[in-house]
């Protein structure tokens, strides 16, 4: 979610090497690509929906109305939607029990859209007070482990809840010290979106050169493989990961 589409395209194009094309959701939306493969979407609708500039993890569902009902039944809050985006589908924005924002999407999902491979988002990470409680919430809302074809595998590994699709780890839920009422968004329960870059230190420099900043909890400028959380010029947080060297 952005306020100014062109400014967001310029920033993320510089930092992550993305190019952009118009999608099928209207003039306020664009699809980011690397080598012709879609890796993310940007919608300049933060002002329209009265929500912060932020990266949001969207989860595909078969029925948005049913998913919204499950969110409310389990104590979550629905802030927006479901909103129709003809002819593509319908979306809603919600928060979980601890206040972490996420989205749901009913409709077409691009077959080449992927997580965890190539230049796509490396993975998603939920910072929450209790990963087990969060897994129960999301598992019920999104029907992660209901045995349906093409869904996912959920496991518990080293105090984390790990979500895999076709063997590929795509999301992790981590328990940790978070502050639901903190004025600093990086300290609140939230979904982190990780992007891989070939040179972590150089990417941080490009962030700053283009009006972004290193998030306060990041310990200086990372020289090694440790992920670093950064902010775009409008305050949208995301995380940079060092990509492994090419084989």
């Amino acid at each position: 979610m952005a306020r100014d589409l062109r400014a967001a395209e310029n920033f993320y194009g510089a930092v992550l090497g993305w190019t952009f094309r118009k999608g099928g959701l209207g003039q306020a939306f664009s699809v980011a690509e690397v080598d012709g493969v879609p890796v993310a979407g940007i919608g300049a609708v933060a002002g329209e929906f009265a929500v912060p500039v932020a990266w949001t993890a969207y989860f595909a569902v078969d029925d948005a109305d049913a998913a919204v009902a499950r969110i409310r039944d389990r104590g979550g809050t629905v802030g927006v939607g479901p909103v129709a985006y003809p002819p593509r589908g319908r979306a809603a924005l919600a928060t979980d029990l601890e206040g972490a924002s996420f989205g749901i999407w009913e409709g077409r999902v691009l077959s080449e859209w992927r997580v965890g491979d190539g230049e796509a988002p490396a993975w998603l990470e939920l910072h929450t007070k209790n990963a087990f409680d969060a897994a129960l919430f999301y598992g019920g809302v999104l029907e992660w482990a209901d045995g349906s074809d093409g869904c996912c595998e959920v496991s518990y590994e080293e105090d984390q809840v790990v979500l895999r699709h076709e063997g590929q780890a795509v999301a992790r839920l981590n328990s940790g010290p978070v502050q639901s009422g903190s004025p600093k968004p990086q300290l609140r329960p939230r979904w982190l979106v990780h992007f891989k870059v070939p040179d972590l230190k150089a990417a941080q420099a490009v962030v700053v050169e283009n009006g972004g900043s290193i998030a306060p909890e990041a310990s200086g400028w990372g020289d090694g493989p440790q992920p670093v959380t950064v902010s775009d010029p409008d305050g949208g947080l995301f995380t940079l990961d060092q990509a492994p060297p090419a084989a």
Side-chain angles (χ1 to χ4, degrees), residues 50 92 118 133 139 159 162 177 199 206 220 231 243 245:
D133 288 346
D159 297 325
V162 181
D199 187 325
V206 177
S231 171

Side-chain angles (χ1 to χ4, degrees), residues 19 37 43 54 56 62 73 77 109 116-117 126 133 145 149 152 161 173 181 194-195 201 219:
T19 58
V37 177
T56 303
D62 292 331
D73 287 345
T77 301
V109 177
D117 296 326
L126 177 67
D133 288 346
D149 292 337
C152 46
V161 178
L173 285 63
H194 290 245
F195 295 108
K201 188 172 183 178
S219 57

Side-chain angles (χ1 to χ4, degrees), residues 93-185:
L93 289 173
T95 56
D96 65 17
L97 301 175
E98 298 295 339
S101 298
F102 66 101
I104 57 170
W105 172 259
E106 171 201 334
R108 180 188 172 201
V109 177
L110 297 176
S111 59
E112 66 269 33
W113 204 303
R114 63 197 185 202
V115 173
D117 296 326
E119 301 296 337
W123 47 291
L124 304 172
E125 179 185 3
L126 177 67
H127 278 193
T128 189
K129 289 182 180 178
N130 188 301
F132 183 79
D133 288 346
L136 293 177
F137 172 83
Y138 284 101
V141 167
L142 302 172
E143 301 179 320
W144 279 348
D146 65 351
S148 60
D149 292 337
C151 183
C152 46
E153 308 89 44
V154 181
S155 60
Y156 299 91
E157 305 171 16
E158 299 179 356
D159 297 325
Q160 296 180 337
V161 178
V162 181
L163 183 69
R164 285 186 168 81
H165 178 67
E166 296 180 349
Q168 171 71 45
V170 295
R172 299 176 188 270
L173 285 63
N174 291 325
S175 300
V178 294
Q179 303 173 23
S180 296
S182 174
K184 298 179 179 180

